Each structure stands twice: as structure tokens, then as C-alpha cells.
Amino acid sequence: MRFTYAEAMTNPDFYVPLAQAAEEAGYHGITLPDSVCYPEVSDSTYPYTPDGSREFLEDKAFPETFILAMAMAAATKTLRFIPFVLKLPIRPPVLVAKQAATVSYMSNNRLALGVGLSPWPEDFEVMDVPFPKRGKRFNEAIDIVRGLTNGGYFEYHGEIYDIPSIKINPVPTQPIPILVGGHSEAALRRAVVRGDGWMHAGGDAEELDRLLGRLNEIRKEEGKENDPFEIHVISGDAYTLDGIKRLEDKGITDVIVGFRLPYIMGQDTQPLEKKIAHLNRYADSVISKLN
């Protein structure tokens, strides 16, 4: 089992020291949040709060994901960086490929690219990207990012994108794992067919078991049940040794752990020292007992 530390919507000055502390404590990775902007007016709802409210996001700091990854990479040696998740379809995929390749190369292959859809039409609007056919756009963007970051000349002729034969440089010495987030049928199938793994957004144990079961069914349908496949989950079982064993038995490869509820109004007032104490306490009680 691998352990990923999660923190978001906190003081941007905390991210680098938290990355250093997580690496020292024995975590394998750290998540990076992604948000382009906050719309003043929106009819959209947020999918991860019980009532769909989004107001808690206002005035929360979201450093640009790839820039934050490079800042952390410069201050660490082994920690893996996992956007959780990058809103890929609102971005030009060639630019994302260039950014991801650079981060991976400069960090010695320490980027795992978590990608997902944005729930907000406003994200597409401000980036001048059509909201319709966003699933098709997402699929093609994944193919383009993978093709370009693998090195050599690459061209793509799809329904959404038409790219002549080009190459980018530098590219990493290892392929960048692409991890697809989302709980819908389309997201699960996308993770299996186009991705190297799946990222769970949270929920109760019964729902997680249903999602894992469906993932396994799709992997068998696609003839990929024996292929390497990362499964990153958020689970209450991740906080005990017995729980970790149960998750391992279900085929889970990575757990995402955090020690603060981020979906709150107002700014995060938890001091950096307390955050480091929390991540160290978990490392001492769980990670050190298993590694």
C-alpha cells in the first residue's frame, strides 16, 4: 500500500513545507488541488457537498497546479505529485502535455497526472471551450497528452482536435501515469480504457465497494484485468492497520489521507505546525507499521 497526503484550500505558503514533512514522514505522494477561477454568479452545484453548495470555495487559494508541483519538486527528492484532479477538458491538451512533460522531467518522473471533468460550465466558458461534447473532448485530450509525453513525433486527427505531426522536448524518461477521477459509468470506463488508474472522490464504504466492483467488471470486459492499474481511494479504513489490510484485499494500491475537513466556510485557521503534527502522527501509527 502507498500513502498520499492530501491538503487543499489552505495557506499557499504551507504547501512546500508540508510536502517536505510528508516526504520525511514516509508518504509516497501528495495531492495538488486544481481550480481556475470562482464565478461570482452561477447556477451550478458542487458535487461533493450534501446540498450542492459552493460558497465555501469563495476566496479559497488555489495555486496553479503545475507551478505548485514544480515548487514542491524543487524542495523534495522522492515525493510524488498527484493533481486531484486537473480539469483537463477545459485546457489545450498540447499545452497540458508540455507542462506535464516538463514537471515530470524536472522532478525525475515524480508526476502522476490525475485528470477529471469540471462540474461547472463556467470553467469551460471562461476558457473559451464548448461545454457540449466535453466527454469526447476529455477522451481525445487524454490520448493527445499521452501521445506527446511519450516522446517522438505524434499527430492526432479526431472529432474535436486535429493536430499535425509534432513533438515536444524534454519528455520524461518514463511514461506519465494518467489517473482518471470520477464516479460515473463514463468515468470508470475512461479510467480503464484510456487511463492507468482511477481516483476515488470519497463516499461511504458501500458505494466504494460498488465502484470497485464495476471497475473490475470493466477491466474484464476490456481484457485488462491483469494489466497494472492504480486505484487511489479515500476511506475511513485507511486510518487503521486492520482497515488498510481490508483495502489491500480489495485491490487498492493507494490511499489518500487528510486530517481536516476542507469543505468549510471561511479560511483555514489550522497552523502549519498542527498540520505537520497530524501527518506525523498518522505516519507513526500506520505507515511505519506497514513499511
Side-chain angles (χ1 to χ4, degrees):
M1 183 67 72
R2 297 181 298 197
F3 299 86
T4 298
Y5 172 62
E7 181 60 274
M9 293 176 271
T10 191
N11 184 335
D13 294 338
F14 290 178
Y15 281 112
V16 168
L18 284 172
Q20 293 173 317
E23 178 176 82
E24 185 175 353
Y27 290 80
H28 179 260
I30 188 168
T31 62
L32 291 78
D34 177 53
S35 180
V36 171
C37 64
Y38 182 85
E40 183 176 3
V41 178
S42 175
D43 294 329
S44 303
T45 58
Y46 192 72
Y48 304 118
T49 53
D51 60 357
S53 62
R54 67 183 186 95
E55 288 74 19
F56 74 94
L57 288 165
E58 187 172 9
D59 296 325
K60 295 289 174 55
F62 284 87
E64 200 284 322
T65 306
F66 288 113
I67 294 175
L68 179 59
M70 277 308 312
M72 291 180 176
T76 57
K77 295 180 180 179
T78 62
L79 199 67
R80 193 187 201 200
F81 309 108
I82 310 169
F84 186 39
V85 287
L86 187 82
K87 298 173 181 177
L88 178 57
I90 70 172
R91 292 170 160 88
V94 174
L95 178 59
V96 172
K98 182 68 174 179
Q99 292 168 318
T102 300
V103 171
S104 186
Y105 178 87
M106 297 295 290
S107 67
N108 192 25
N109 304 301
R110 288 191 282 143
L111 176 71
L113 189 60
V115 294
L117 277 171
S118 170
W120 291 3
E122 291 84 2
D123 276 340
F124 290 82
E125 180 182 355
V126 299
M127 298 296 285
D128 198 25
V129 175
F131 192 62
K133 296 187 178 181
R134 57 195 177 278
K136 180 66 174 176
R137 182 180 298 277
F138 192 3
N139 290 342
E140 292 192 9
I142 292 174
D143 294 346
I144 292 165
V145 170
R146 186 185 299 282
L148 285 172
T149 57
N150 281 344
Y153 284 103
F154 174 81
E155 62 184 285
Y156 192 88
H157 307 287
E159 180 181 342
I160 307 295
Y161 298 104
D162 193 79
I163 298 171
S165 181
I166 60 172
K167 64 180 174 181
I168 61 174
N169 193 18
V171 293
T173 58
Q174 298 174 11
I176 300 173
I178 297 178
L179 313 174
V180 178
H183 292 186
S184 68
E185 174 70 15
L188 298 177
R189 187 166 294 279
R190 185 175 290 119
V192 172
V193 174
R194 284 185 157 81
D196 303 293
W198 174 68
M199 298 195 78
H200 173 231
D204 61 36
E206 183 177 346
E207 173 69 359
L208 175 58
D209 286 344
R210 184 192 70 78
L211 293 168
L212 292 173
R214 185 62 188 131
L215 267 177
N216 288 333
E217 290 173 355
I218 296 171
R219 292 176 70 189
K220 289 179 182 178
E221 291 169 9
E222 298 292 335
K224 294 189 173 188
E225 65 268 33
N226 296 319
D227 291 355
F229 192 76
E230 298 185 22
I231 300 178
H232 297 239
V233 306
I234 299 169
S235 170
D237 272 345
Y239 295 87
T240 67
L241 296 175
D242 288 343
I244 291 291
K245 179 62 167 61
R246 288 191 292 270
L247 294 175
E248 286 180 328
D249 290 344
K250 295 176 182 180
I252 290 161
T253 61
D254 298 73
V255 291
I256 302 168
V257 294
F259 311 103
R260 177 183 67 87
L261 181 65
Y263 304 139
I264 57 171
M265 294 295 293
Q267 297 300 313
D268 174 20
T269 60
Q270 190 178 73
L272 174 62
E273 293 75 16
K274 190 169 184 179
K275 293 180 185 297
I276 292 175
H278 282 312
L279 71 85
N280 281 332
R281 188 175 301 113
Y282 178 86
D284 291 340
S285 62
V286 177
I287 298 176
S288 65
K289 300 293 193 299
L290 295 169
N291 293 338

